[in-house]
């Protein structure tokens, strides 16, 4: 084996190790990023009566009613882009697709 082929092999191994280390660092970086949120922020800028209506109708961001989520409610409008928050024709403020309130009405 001549020194030229040894250098080529070493060079290949170095480049392979560098690629592997770079991939491992990228994977570690991706793990540190927070997962996409599935909940909506608390409403801001709503009147007291609008906030009270959310409470009165028992709105929750995560439904405890099997098969009944805002996404399946006739009164829900999905967000224009992919995301967890839509709007509701009864309640003001952000509405979670996985939420629920006592006015839930099945989509027809
Ligand atoms: Fe959700 Fe209630 Fe609005 Fe229906 S009426 S979309 S269940 S908040």
């Amino acid at each position: 084996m001549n020194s030229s082929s040894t250098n080529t092999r070493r060079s290949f191994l170095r480049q392979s190790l560098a690629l592997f280390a770079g991939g491992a660092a990228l994977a570690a970086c991706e793990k540190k990023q927070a997962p996409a949120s599935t909940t909506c922020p608390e409403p801001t800028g709503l009147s007291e009566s609008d906030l009270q209506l959310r409470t009165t109708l028992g709105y929750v961001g995560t439904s405890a009613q099997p098969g009944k989520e805002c996404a399946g409610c006739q009164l829900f409008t999905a967000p224009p882009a992919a995301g967890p928050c839509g709007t509701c024709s009864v309640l003001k403020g952000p509405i979670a697709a996985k939420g629920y309130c006592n006015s839930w009405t099945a989509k027809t």
Side-chain angles (χ1 to χ4, degrees):
M1 184 177 306
N2 62 32
S3 67
S4 175
S5 67
T6 303
N7 282 342
T8 303
R9 191 179 314 154
R10 281 188 185 152
S11 176
F12 172 76
L13 286 172
R14 276 194 193 117
Q15 288 175 351
S16 297
L17 281 173
L19 280 174
F20 176 76
L26 183 62
C29 219
E30 288 174 350
K31 282 183 182 177
K32 288 180 182 175
Q33 291 178 346
S37 175
T38 57
T39 59
C40 293
E42 288 296 315
T44 57
L46 296 185
S47 67
E48 278 299 315
S49 62
D50 290 336
L51 289 171
Q52 185 59 48
L53 186 57
R54 288 170 73 101
T55 301
T56 301
L57 293 181
Y59 172 77
V60 289
T62 301
S63 176
Q65 305 291 320
K68 293 183 177 179
E69 294 181 342
C70 293
C73 177
Q74 183 72 35
L75 306 168
F76 182 72
T77 300
C85 303
T87 57
C88 171
S89 58
V90 173
L91 299 180
K92 292 183 180 172
I95 299 294
K98 294 188 173 292
Y100 171 82
C101 88
N102 295 328
S103 290
W104 186 89
T105 305
K107 277 187 178 172
T108 54

